[in-house]
Amino acid sequence: MRLSRLKALFPVVALTMACHESTAPPRMVSGVYLLESVNGQPVPAIVVAGQADTNFVLSATVTLDPAGNAVTAEHWRYVYQPNQTEEGTLTLRLEYRITDHSITIGSFQPCPANAICIGNRVGKLIGTTLTLAYENPTAPLYLYRLEPSL
């Protein structure tokens, strides 16, 4: 009788253990990731080059906190013909979600009507390496490395 109860209890325990991983909250990480390259080109890197203008990313960081918040800061230079240059920094406060080694950084709310919204960035977070691109097959691939803690 005792053995039959154990046999009946085993599948319940096994299913509970199997479901634990899939229902666990997403993994959260924290740290500052520094941009190293764009499409394999070291920073400063050309992101877009046309006949009349060239866009460079000079530096960038992604800061992740344990609560699922992300801050991205990108320092850009735009060079227009003839000889006009603009520089600026775009800083965004976003959220991130991680599943296994995949990461999505962006807004997880619908874009309001008549608003201009940028898409989420998706990529991989493996060890100290973070790769990101916009949800577009032709988007450049950004490679970040975790800044060592002091």
Side-chain angles (χ1 to χ4, degrees), residues 4-141:
S4 64
R5 272 192 266 174
L6 285 175
K7 284 182 182 179
L9 189 58
F10 178 73
V12 173
V13 172
L15 284 173
T16 303
M17 289 173 60
C19 291
H20 173 72
E21 195 63 36
S22 63
T23 59
R27 179 172 65 104
M28 297 295 166
V29 296
S30 62
V32 177
Y33 293 82
L34 304 174
L35 182 63
E36 194 172 279
S37 66
V38 178
N39 283 341
Q41 186 181 170
V43 175
I46 296 172
V47 178
V48 177
Q51 290 182 341
D53 62 342
T54 304
N55 300 337
F56 297 85
V57 63
L58 303 176
S59 64
T61 59
V62 174
T63 304
L64 305 177
D65 75 15
N69 299 304
V71 176
T72 62
E74 297 178 351
H75 189 73
W76 290 83
R77 177 181 295 143
Y78 302 99
V79 179
Y80 305 96
Q81 299 300 327
N83 303 325
Q84 182 182 353
T85 302
E86 294 178 7
E87 264 188 51
T89 301
L90 175 63
T91 302
L92 300 171
R93 296 185 187 291
L94 305 163
E95 299 173 42
Y96 72 94
R97 306 268 164 73
I98 296 176
T99 306
D100 296 324
H101 292 290
S102 297
I103 185 169
T104 302
I105 297 176
S107 173
F108 295 92
Q109 309 300 321
C111 185
N114 299 321
I116 298 173
C117 299
I118 61 170
N120 290 343
R121 295 176 84 181
V122 296
K124 300 281 182 198
L125 180 58
I126 301 173
T128 60
T129 303
L130 171 66
T131 56
L132 290 173
Y134 285 101
E135 294 176 313
N136 173 342
T138 61
L141 182 65

